[in-house]
Amino acid sequence: MSSKSKSDAYAAAGVDIEAGYEGVKLMKKHVERTFIPGVVSDIGGFGGLFVPDIKGMEEPVLVSGTDGVGTKQRIAQLMDKHDTVGIDCVAMCVNDIICCGAKPIIFLDYIAIGKNDPHKVADLVAGVAEGCVQAGCALIGGETAEHPGTMTADDYDLAGFSVGIADKPSIIDNSRMKEGDAVIALPSTGIHSNGFSLVRKVFDVENIDLHKPAREVMTDKAAAELLGDTPIGEALLVPTKIYVKPVLKVLESCHVHGISHITGGGFYENVPRSIPDGLGAKIKEADVRVLPVFKAMQAESAAKGFPISDRDMFNTFNMGVGMVVIVPAEEKETAVSVLQENGIDAYVVGEIVKSEDKITIF
């Protein structure tokens, strides 16, 4: 990058080219943490280069996914804490890719920001890099775009794009799913990255101090105790769990018939996406290990006069289950054991039955 690249006219219009260069310098150490075998290029070029390892594959297939953090990033902006939403950005992409059995290999990010603050951008990229390390993929490129006049100085939007690879004969397509298969829950770390328009309304985040414990700012004091002494903003910002490495281990050990990433639309939208016609997931609501943050949120909504029904909770949030994996009944103990050995406190939450309804929660 040339130090001669400077435009006083562009700066007068609100775009600081030199701040962009400084941001790249600060993020470089974070990006390098993600480099895995196959990375060819460094950051700063016009394209990210990567040589995938396809040895042993019959028919390599590239699998892509893209997503953003959504309005959760508003919490980060209000907290002035920007080093975790990048993990969410990676998670929302790679957790989708793993659902068909593909291993994520590369990631790119895009940051639109009102005013380029190099340290803020570096924090955002540090989170993206941490997510890539957790997923085992390389951050090989990205873009930061300053948007004066269309965004406030403190505003930004973070999005990402990932590519994975799978061997076509091994792709999970639900064709082998059958009655009696076990539905295994992989616990979430919290709200993850969906439903935050409702979250922000319930907790009235624009009008409270997010650095204070819930008991000081929530209407329902009993529900607030469910969140303990943690500042409410931090409870809402807990990053999305990245399930890639544990699920890859299950794929090595079991015949996986389906995987669903529980994102926007909750159980009712996402579980059916991995189930063929004629079958359905039967889940007992009492068997779902609902996290305290969801119980607190539902109680708080009632206290403020707009109660959220149980069904709406399960149709909006992950409720403590960030992903489900469906395996033959005879392999459920093995799958749970493998997941637990790899840091996931998995448990059986339901079964596959003959049904015209692809999901029943009772």
Side-chain angles (χ1 to χ4, degrees):
M1 297 168 194
S2 172
S3 60
K4 295 181 180 179
S5 179
K6 180 180 179 180
S7 171
D8 292 334
Y10 211 6
V15 177
D16 188 343
I17 297 174
E18 292 180 296
Y21 295 159
E22 178 64 19
V24 172
K25 290 178 184 178
L26 292 173
M27 71 177 69
K28 189 177 179 65
K29 64 180 179 181
H30 303 299
V31 175
E32 289 175 346
R33 291 182 59 217
T34 75
F35 286 176
I36 58 176
V39 174
V40 175
S41 59
D42 201 348
I43 59 171
F46 288 99
L49 308 180
F50 189 88
V51 180
D53 181 3
I54 60 173
K55 292 189 298 290
M57 290 189 177
E58 295 179 30
E59 194 174 349
V61 176
L62 296 179
V63 181
S64 59
T66 186
D67 209 337
V69 182
T71 64
K72 181 176 186 176
Q73 60 200 5
R74 179 58 180 160
I75 310 292
Q77 292 162 9
L78 291 168
M79 291 281 290
D80 194 23
K81 178 176 171 54
H82 314 286
D83 59 346
T84 62
V85 288
I87 301 174
D88 293 293
C89 186
V90 176
M92 297 306 292
C93 298
V94 299
N95 283 347
D96 279 355
I97 287 175
I98 196 65
C99 287
C100 67
K103 174 181 170 56
I105 53 176
I106 60 174
F107 193 86
L108 296 94
D109 62 17
Y110 176 81
I111 303 168
I113 192 165
K115 181 174 178 56
N116 196 337
D117 177 337
H119 292 280
K120 182 185 293 184
V121 170
D123 279 349
L124 289 168
V125 174
V128 172
E130 174 59 27
C132 287
V133 169
Q134 291 181 22
C137 64
L139 177 57
I140 63 168
E143 175 70 12
T144 301
E146 202 166 10
H147 287 186
T150 64
M151 305 174 80
T152 65
D154 293 331
D155 196 13
Y156 59 79
D157 189 27
L158 174 63
F161 172 80
S162 187
V163 175
I165 192 165
D167 199 3
K168 190 173 181 180
S170 301
I171 289 176
I172 300 168
D173 61 3
N174 79 27
S175 62
R176 293 178 289 275
M177 195 175 297
K178 62 185 186 297
E179 183 182 10
D181 282 354
V183 180
I184 297 173
L186 282 62
S188 67
T189 50
I191 303 171
H192 284 186
S193 301
N194 294 100
F196 270 84
S197 293
L198 181 53
V199 171
R200 291 183 298 114
K201 176 181 178 182
V202 170
F203 291 109
D204 192 22
V205 299
E206 300 290 338
N207 297 302
I208 63 171
D209 186 345
L210 291 168
H211 296 88
K212 291 184 177 181
R215 66 173 63 91
E216 295 186 31
V217 295
M218 283 178 60
T219 301
D220 189 318
K221 301 306 180 184
E225 293 304 319
L226 293 170
L227 301 180
D229 296 325
T230 303
I232 192 165
E234 291 187 16
L236 301 181
L237 276 182
V238 174
T240 306
K241 180 69 178 177
I242 293 176
Y243 299 102
V244 170
K245 293 179 180 179
V247 170
L248 287 173
K249 291 295 185 181
V250 173
L251 291 171
E252 293 173 2
S253 308
C254 301
H255 297 88
V256 176
H257 291 170
I259 304 175
S260 290
H261 182 200
I262 311 302
T263 56
F267 278 63
Y268 284 99
E269 180 176 325
N270 292 287
V271 175
R273 292 169 68 177
S274 66
I275 299 175
D277 291 342
L279 296 176
K282 187 177 181 181
I283 295 170
K284 190 176 181 179
E285 184 174 333
D287 289 342
V288 178
R289 300 174 187 173
V290 178
L291 292 177
V293 67
F294 298 108
K295 296 177 181 179
M297 192 188 321
Q298 190 173 22
E300 183 72 354
S301 72
K304 288 181 175 173
F306 53 95
I308 306 172
S309 69
D310 289 348
R311 193 189 191 286
D312 280 356
M313 291 293 293
F314 275 89
N315 206 168
T316 307
F317 303 108
N318 67 66
M319 299 302 284
V321 179
M323 182 168 282
V324 299
V325 174
I326 299 170
V327 300
E330 62 272 19
E331 296 184 19
K332 62 185 179 183
E333 289 85 0
T334 300
V336 169
S337 178
V338 168
L339 287 164
Q340 291 179 344
E341 289 169 4
N342 286 275
I344 303 293
D345 191 19
Y347 60 96
V348 176
V349 74
E351 64 176 337
I352 298 298
V353 298
K354 288 184 178 179
S355 176
E356 294 304 313
D357 295 324
K358 291 192 176 183
I359 182 168
T360 302
I361 300 176
F362 66 101

